[in-house]
DNA sequence: CTGTAGACCTGGAGGC
DNA sequence: TGCCTCCAGGTCTACA
């Protein structure tokens, strides 16, 4: 499910919970990508949610005594539900807030997500410390990318999906951004010109900001915290369109596997 | 250090 | 129906 725009939309949707106090945490399955801290219910009880931020695809929920670090993995979802609604098979965690008619429920069929706790600065956590810049920040520009990808033999699609270079570019938006930039995904990163890198940077910023405005992509199962669909999936120009005609030039969209992930491109529009 | 393959896990789609 | 294989939004870890 979630690429960066989906995580951002989720994070924004949780804002009404800021200032609320945790009454209880109900954990039905501790086994996510990493085990949920066994004492999380004890830790969180009585704490106030002070702030919600996003870094890469992590949601950082700062409480009185520390920060909850949430990652949705491939299939995770956070939904605001009415109190008392029956948990389904993959509803692993409920966060219950005092004096509220709703709970925050974490659902994740594949359990690739994570829910961690830190008393320290979450940005210094081992999972966040080495992350590259946010795509929408100024720091992420052609000069930076050129420096980072110099002499790299890796293909450009794998490079832009590598969170050490830039965060938040997942498999869908990597294909889309490279189509937008007119660059084939299999090109070697180190051989791209400054001008081409500039096109890639601009396309990534463009695609990601548009997707956030549209409320994220709905593949099979993305809904925002209130269960509403995003709309960006209607705007995919190459992702999932193999064998169909390119909207720009009518030639057939191709699919190939790069870095073990399926990639989509137009052989005509992308050089 | 660099690049890639494997791992984690469940469910849905399609073939027979 | 049922069984089998393949595929899926992420990303850490081990290994060559």
């Amino acid at each position: 499910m979630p690429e960066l725009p989906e995580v951002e939309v989720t994070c924004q949707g949780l804002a009404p919970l800021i200032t609320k106090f945790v009454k209880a945490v109900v954990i039905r399955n501790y086994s996510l990508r990493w085990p949920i801290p066994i004492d999380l219910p004890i830790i969180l009880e009585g704490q106030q949610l002070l702030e919600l931020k996003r870094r890469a695809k992590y949601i950082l929920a700062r409480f009185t005594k520390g920060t909850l670090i949430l990652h949705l993995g491939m299939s995770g979802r956070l939904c605001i539900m009415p109190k008392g609604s029956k948990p389904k098979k993959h509803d692993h965690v409920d966060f219950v807030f005092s004096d509220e008619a709703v709970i925050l429920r974490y659902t994740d069929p594949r359990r690739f997500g994570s829910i961690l706790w830190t008393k320290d600065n979450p940005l210094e956590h081992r999972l966040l410390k080495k992350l590259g810049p946010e795509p929408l920040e100024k720091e992420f520009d052609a000069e930076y990318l050129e420096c980072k990808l110099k002499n790299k033999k890796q293909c450009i699609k794998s490079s832009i999906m590598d969170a050490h270079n830039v965060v938040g570019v997942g498999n869908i938006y990597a294909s889309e951004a490279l189509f937008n930039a007119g660059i084939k995904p299999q090109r070697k990163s180190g051989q791209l010109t400054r001008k081409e890198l500039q096109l890639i940077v601009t396309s990534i910023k463009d695609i990601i900001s548009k997707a956030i405005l549209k409320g994220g992509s709905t593949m099979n199962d993305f809904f925002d915290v209130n269960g509403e669909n995003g709309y960006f999936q209607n705007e995919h120009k190459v992702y999932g369109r193999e064998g169909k005609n390119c909207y720009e030039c009518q030639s057939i969209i191709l699919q190939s596997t790069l870095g073990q992930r399926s990639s989509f491109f137009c052989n005509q529009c992308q050089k």
Side-chain angles (χ1 to χ4, degrees):
Chain A
M1 173 252 289
E3 296 214 29
L4 183 139
E6 289 78 356
V7 178
E8 177 65 29
V9 168
T10 298
C11 197
Q12 288 170 13
L14 300 181
L17 297 173
I18 294 172
T19 73
K20 308 301 178 195
F21 288 84
V22 176
K23 185 179 178 189
V25 180
V26 179
I27 304 177
R28 299 179 197 87
N29 190 345
Y30 282 84
S31 152
L32 300 184
R33 176 74 196 267
W34 287 282
I36 298 174
I38 189 82
D39 50 352
L40 189 67
I42 296 169
I43 291 173
L44 268 184
E45 191 183 334
Q47 288 202 51
Q48 186 180 25
L49 177 59
L50 300 174
E51 184 186 32
L52 282 162
K53 293 211 298 196
R54 178 191 60 73
R55 170 72 176 116
K57 291 172 189 163
Y58 292 94
I59 292 170
L60 305 176
R62 188 165 64 84
F63 287 86
T64 322
K65 297 177 188 166
T67 303
L68 198 63
I69 301 175
L70 297 119
H71 196 293
L72 304 178
M74 285 277 232
S75 56
R77 208 160 70 191
L78 282 165
C79 278
I80 293 174
M81 319 272 289
K83 224 173 220 171
S85 59
K86 285 249 159 47
K88 300 206 186 98
K89 188 174 177 187
H90 302 295
D91 295 344
H92 307 310
V93 183
D94 285 351
F95 298 90
V96 184
F97 291 86
S98 305
D99 308 321
E100 293 299 306
V102 294
I103 57 169
L104 177 61
R105 177 164 284 172
Y106 179 78
T107 306
D108 189 358
R110 291 176 74 179
R111 287 188 279 118
F112 287 171
S114 35
I115 298 179
L116 301 168
W117 173 258
T118 179
K119 286 184 271 189
D120 305 319
N121 178 0
L123 302 179
E124 296 298 314
H125 191 278
R126 67 175 189 98
L127 295 176
L128 284 86
K129 200 172 177 158
K130 291 179 182 168
L131 294 173
E134 291 287 326
L136 299 183
E137 279 174 11
K138 273 191 202 146
E139 188 187 342
F140 177 61
D141 62 13
E143 185 183 355
Y144 162 83
L145 201 58
E146 184 174 47
C147 173
K148 202 76 185 173
L149 303 186
K150 195 157 44 175
N151 301 324
K152 290 262 194 267
K153 289 173 184 163
Q154 196 180 38
C155 70
I156 186 61
K157 177 163 179 275
S158 298
S159 293
I160 60 174
M161 288 181 68
D162 183 341
H164 297 103
N165 298 324
V166 58
V167 302
V169 182
N171 200 37
I172 297 175
Y173 297 121
S175 279
E176 293 298 315
L178 290 171
F179 173 77
N180 210 296
I183 311 284
K184 283 195 174 75
Q186 46 279 91
R187 294 274 300 281
K188 302 290 171 223
S189 302
Q191 291 172 224
L192 292 164
T193 65
R194 176 70 165 267
K195 203 174 175 181
E196 289 174 322
L197 291 170
Q198 180 61 62
L199 285 168
I200 290 170
V201 166
T202 307
S203 298
I204 288 173
K205 287 176 187 285
D206 196 50
I207 292 272
I208 296 217
S209 42
K210 276 188 185 148
I212 291 173
L213 288 174
K214 294 267 179 181
S217 295
T218 300
M219 292 307 288
N220 297 318
D221 53 10
F222 177 71
F223 299 92
D224 70 17
V225 294
N226 300 310
E228 299 293 323
N229 275 243
Y231 293 99
F232 193 73
Q233 75 283 174
N234 302 322
E235 319 228 343
H236 295 166
K237 291 185 174 147
V238 286
Y239 185 85
R241 298 197 63 246
E242 75 278 15
K244 302 201 168 125
N245 294 325
C246 173
Y247 294 130
E248 301 294 328
C249 75
Q250 309 307 319
S251 64
I252 303 294
I253 301 295
L254 304 179
Q255 175 177 23
S256 78
T257 299
L258 298 170
Q260 298 178 301
R261 308 301 298 276
S262 69
S263 310
F264 304 86
F265 62 101
C266 172
N267 209 33
Q268 194 68 30
C269 294
Q270 295 171 253
K271 303 296 177 192

